[in-house]
Amino acid sequence: MIATHFRHVCISKLEIYESRIGEAIAGLTEEQTWWRPHEKALSIGIILQHLNGNVSQWIIAALGDEADNRNRASEFEEHHSLSLAQLYHQLQHTVNKACDIIYGVGE
């Protein structure tokens, strides 16, 4: 009973935060995606890459028993070849997969 509730809360939080990210980045330009106020700051594009890596490693690889192919260092590189839409689509896919895995834990 508690495990089922916990799974549903985890899934709900992931879906809510993924949606809020989508709302926050809606309307940004490609230039704004990779803009940094100074050299040590992270751009929105880098943050999206890093979030994708975190969810992949800590949920999909750990709970889903899948290979951890995360390359954390590359998450902090600017990949201007990826559009904001592509970055967000990757995160959506990763969050959906993570939710499926969480749903199946303990089943």
Side-chain angles (χ1 to χ4, degrees):
M1 188 75 133
I2 291 174
T4 300
H5 177 71
F6 181 73
R7 286 195 314 265
H8 288 290
V9 169
C10 290
I11 291 167
S12 175
K13 293 292 184 186
L14 281 169
E15 291 173 340
I16 288 168
Y17 292 134
E18 179 267 312
S19 176
R20 287 183 181 170
I21 290 168
E23 292 169 8
I25 64 173
L28 291 180
T29 65
E30 296 304 319
E31 182 179 330
Q32 291 169 322
T33 301
W34 298 106
W35 177 82
R36 299 183 306 163
H38 56 82
E39 185 179 304
K40 295 191 182 217
L42 300 177
S43 68
I44 291 168
I46 289 174
I47 292 169
L48 289 172
Q49 291 173 157
H50 187 56
L51 284 171
N52 192 56
N54 278 336
V55 174
S56 294
Q57 181 179 25
W58 296 109
I59 299 176
I60 295 172
L63 296 178
D65 201 27
E66 293 190 18
D68 180 7
N69 298 319
R70 183 180 187 187
N71 182 350
R72 190 175 187 276
S74 75
E75 294 167 15
F76 294 95
E77 297 171 2
E78 293 183 359
H79 299 282
H80 292 275
S81 61
L82 295 174
S83 69
L84 179 60
Q86 289 170 311
L87 292 167
Y88 184 56
H89 178 73
Q90 287 177 347
L91 182 63
Q92 287 177 305
H93 174 76
T94 300
V95 167
N96 288 339
K97 188 171 184 176
C99 289
D100 290 344
I101 288 169
I102 292 169
Y103 183 78
V105 170
E107 294 292 316

